Amino acid sequence: MPNSKAYPYPEIVTGEKWEVVGTVNNSPDGSTDNLNRQMTVPLDRECEECGINHSRMIRRHELGHAKWSPKTMGKLKPGVRAEAVHVLEEVRVNHLLHENKLALSEPSECLDVIQQKTMKLVYESGIAEIILMGLASRWRVPDNDPDRKYDRYKYNDEWIVMSSCFDMIRNDPNVTDFRKNQIMYAQRVITKFMHNITNHSWGQTISYRKVQKYAEPLSKILDMFRDKPEHDEVYKPAPKPTSSQQEGEGEGEAQESNELGGGSLEQRTRDDITELLYSSSDGHGEWGEMFTHQPPLSVNLQSRLKNGRSYRPADFGYNPKYINRYCIDKKIFKQKVTALGGTILIDASGSMSFDGQDILEVMQQLPAVTIAMYNGKSNTGDLRIIAKNGKRVTEKYLDEHSGYGNVVDGPALEWLGKQPPRRLWVSDMAVFGGRGDTSGFNLMADVNKLVRRYNIINLKNIEEVKEHALKLNVV
């Protein structure tokens, strides 16, 4: 009777004695310790569910590690994640198996299990987890199609299943465009790093140094996209009832809102970010270093901001100043009027423009507002508080410190998030960083996170501020 367990023989590969141990319940989690020459793999011969010998592929993969992987991962550079090195080494070993005509030609796990795992990831997990699974699940296998004229390879069944799951979410009408763009970005990253590892000159063998080289940029991406998505980042909100469906609303009765172009300003902000995410590059950028300035506010506007009285009648309070109103509306108490304010952050790069008169008109609507502007050049930027407490900087100061580039959008929005609401961001959203890929996907993803976290509303120019600022501050 043949042995029911299928043992690999790494001794044949390395010429040294090895210890081989079976995984618990033949789980597919194989591992190879080249330093201590220990291999842990499933030892069964076929899957009880589908009849495919998944474990043979896992054993073959671990023998590839015994043949080509170094004894240890080596000392990691600062910022390099062990999981980035590990997954890129998986890509390298899988490709070397293909080049040596030992490709993993059968699935290493039941395809329906792969599908379930992938669907859970695309709806619930961060981009980093999707990238890691995708890199570990994509490799080349022989293609024996006689009609193929050039490359005689195709991609493995696991990757085909994952790709179909990605297509499903892109066609799901209930999923947000933002999440669809995240999935597309994850696919591009998977393709990019696989090509970085597997592309080489004819006759050369892919070395472990290549894994070490590309683990650094991959680690930055994994760090940036570790967080799981919020529910409203994945699923579209339920459609709002029409006016005819809303009870208690009379005909022609309009509710005051910050509507613009058929949708709220908050939704427009998110839609614009989604569109920019799609057009951003696959690279990794970094914000410039931001310096905050509080210049002298030498132009006093307080005399021009007194719009009517500072107090109003009310039907509650402790100072009965307006006794004569008792028979009219019983509003006999004196109550101080709350001055509307909030915080406005203006992108002062070369693509935007405003002047002192614009600031005056905004402050006439919102006397207690704080206004700041930011811009930058090279890899540094500045945030300047240009109006506060009814005062502003001079016109000359505005002219001298406007223009240049963005550089510090992210740090400036972080500053805005810590200021009093409502928080308005005046920008055309042409976001650029200060280092690396200055239009990288991660920069727009950072902007999206800050806008959502701090409930920031984007307005395109100073004219939109004049139009909507007062209404937005009536909360």
Side-chain angles (χ1 to χ4, degrees):
M1 181 178 179
N3 191 344
S4 61
K5 294 184 177 181
Y7 281 87
Y9 293 96
E11 293 89 351
I12 298 175
V13 175
T14 65
E16 299 173 303
K17 184 174 178 60
W18 281 70
E19 178 187 1
V20 177
V21 180
T23 58
V24 178
N25 296 326
N26 290 315
S27 74
D29 304 318
S31 63
T32 300
D33 181 354
N34 282 358
L35 181 63
N36 299 306
R37 296 191 294 280
Q38 293 178 341
M39 182 178 291
T40 304
V41 289
L43 302 176
D44 59 318
R45 292 182 179 273
E46 67 176 30
C47 175
E48 296 179 357
E49 299 293 331
C50 64
I52 296 175
N53 194 346
H54 304 305
S55 298
R56 181 175 63 174
M57 298 296 103
I58 297 171
R59 293 190 291 269
R60 184 181 297 181
H61 174 79
E62 296 305 326
L63 286 171
H65 279 297
K67 172 69 175 176
W68 292 299
S69 292
K71 289 187 175 182
T72 66
M73 187 179 291
K75 184 178 180 180
L76 299 179
K77 293 182 179 179
V80 175
R81 303 184 69 92
E83 58 189 342
V85 177
H86 175 75
V87 76
L88 293 180
E89 179 64 359
E90 298 281 283
V91 173
R92 185 177 80 98
V93 168
N94 287 337
H95 191 72
L96 289 172
L97 286 169
H98 167 73
E99 290 189 333
N100 286 272
K101 304 187 185 305
L102 292 168
L104 308 179
S105 54
E106 293 183 316
S108 57
E109 200 169 7
C110 294
L111 295 181
D112 58 343
V113 175
I114 298 286
Q115 184 181 39
Q116 291 171 10
K117 289 182 177 179
T118 306
M119 294 304 289
K120 184 176 178 63
L121 285 176
V122 296
Y123 283 100
E124 299 178 11
S125 299
I127 299 178
E129 292 184 60
I130 298 172
I131 292 171
L132 288 172
M133 182 174 175
L135 285 170
S137 304
R138 179 174 176 175
W139 57 83
R140 295 176 181 178
V141 295
D143 185 1
N144 299 318
D145 184 357
D147 295 330
R148 186 181 288 274
K149 296 181 180 180
Y150 301 106
D151 296 329
R152 291 299 182 95
Y153 72 84
K154 59 183 180 180
Y155 287 107
N156 56 309
D157 292 338
E158 289 95 323
W159 178 249
I160 292 173
V161 169
M162 286 195 72
S163 297
S164 68
C165 293
F166 296 152
D167 292 338
M168 287 172 62
I169 194 174
R170 282 201 297 270
N171 296 320
D172 189 340
N174 298 317
V175 175
T176 63
D177 290 339
F178 174 74
R179 185 59 174 175
K180 293 176 182 179
N181 287 335
Q182 284 188 323
I183 300 300
M184 292 173 64
Y185 172 73
Q187 285 183 274
R188 297 199 301 265
V189 171
I190 292 166
T191 301
K192 174 184 175 180
F193 279 94
M194 183 180 175
H195 289 170
N196 287 341
I197 296 296
T198 59
N199 287 350
H200 61 91
S201 301
W202 178 259
Q204 287 185 343
T205 299
I206 307 170
S207 71
Y208 181 69
R209 290 182 179 178
K210 211 169 191 182
V211 170
Q212 294 174 310
K213 174 183 176 181
Y214 289 106
E216 189 169 357
L218 178 59
S219 296
K220 292 181 179 179
I221 293 175
L222 297 180
D223 285 337
M224 177 63 67
F225 299 110
R226 181 71 51 186
D227 296 339
K228 292 184 178 181
E230 299 292 336
H231 185 273
D232 65 343
E233 291 179 323
V234 177
Y235 297 100
K236 292 179 179 178
K240 295 181 179 180
T242 61
S243 57
S244 60
Q245 295 172 324
Q246 292 176 346
E247 295 183 4
E249 279 191 32
E251 269 187 46
E253 197 173 309
Q255 291 186 338
E256 189 172 342
S257 64
N258 51 322
E259 295 289 321
L260 180 69
S264 70
L265 291 172
E266 291 93 335
Q267 189 58 47
R268 187 188 74 168
T269 301
R270 296 185 181 189
D271 291 343
D272 289 347
I273 291 176
T274 297
E275 184 176 345
L276 291 168
L277 274 169
Y278 181 76
S279 61
S280 59
S281 68
D282 299 339
H284 182 277
E286 295 181 13
W287 300 117
E289 183 179 5
M290 188 180 80
F291 300 93
T292 303
H293 307 272
Q294 296 187 356
L297 305 178
S298 54
V299 181
N300 193 333
L301 304 174
Q302 291 178 346
S303 62
R304 304 174 67 180
L305 299 181
K306 290 182 179 179
N307 252 338
R309 55 190 172 185
S310 302
Y311 296 89
R312 62 178 175 83
D315 56 3
F316 62 93
Y318 59 89
N319 185 359
K321 178 178 176 63
Y322 307 105
I323 297 295
N324 59 302
R325 300 182 65 99
Y326 183 81
C327 296
I328 303 172
D329 54 13
K330 294 184 171 57
K331 293 183 178 181
I332 64 173
F333 296 100
K334 176 182 176 182
Q335 286 287 354
K336 188 173 183 180
V337 176
T338 301
L340 297 176
T343 310
I344 299 176
L345 176 67
I346 301 176
D347 169 4
S349 63
S351 58
M352 304 293 290
S353 62
F354 63 98
D355 56 26
Q357 180 62 31
D358 293 324
I359 294 176
L360 171 62
E361 292 177 15
V362 171
M363 296 185 79
Q364 284 177 330
Q365 295 186 62
L366 309 173
V369 73
T370 297
I371 303 177
M373 71 177 194
Y374 72 94
N375 55 7
K377 56 183 177 180
S378 186
N379 55 11
T380 62
D382 301 281
L383 183 144
R384 308 173 193 276
I385 298 174
I386 57 174
K388 189 175 183 180
N389 298 329
K391 300 178 181 180
R392 69 165 174 86
V393 296
T394 64
E395 197 78 37
K396 181 180 179 183
Y397 187 91
L398 292 175
D399 293 339
E400 288 178 350
H401 297 286
S402 296
Y404 305 110
N406 294 57
V407 184
V408 290
D409 298 272
L413 288 172
E414 186 71 52
W415 174 88
L416 177 61
K418 297 174 182 177
Q419 307 307 309
R422 278 291 187 96
R423 304 179 185 101
L424 306 182
W425 174 36
V426 186
S427 173
D428 56 6
M429 299 180 80
V431 171
F432 291 96
R435 301 181 185 88
D437 188 337
T438 56
S439 58
F441 182 95
N442 68 299
L443 299 181
M444 278 308 305
D446 193 30
V447 168
N448 173 72
K449 180 175 66 176
L450 293 169
V451 165
R452 287 173 175 269
R453 178 191 299 167
Y454 298 122
N455 196 25
I456 295 171
I457 294 175
N458 171 255
L459 299 174
K460 299 303 178 186
N461 50 54
I462 203 71
E463 296 304 319
E464 282 197 1
V465 177
K466 299 174 188 176
E467 179 182 355
H468 297 285
L470 180 61
K471 186 162 52 177
L472 286 169
N473 274 272
V474 179
V475 294

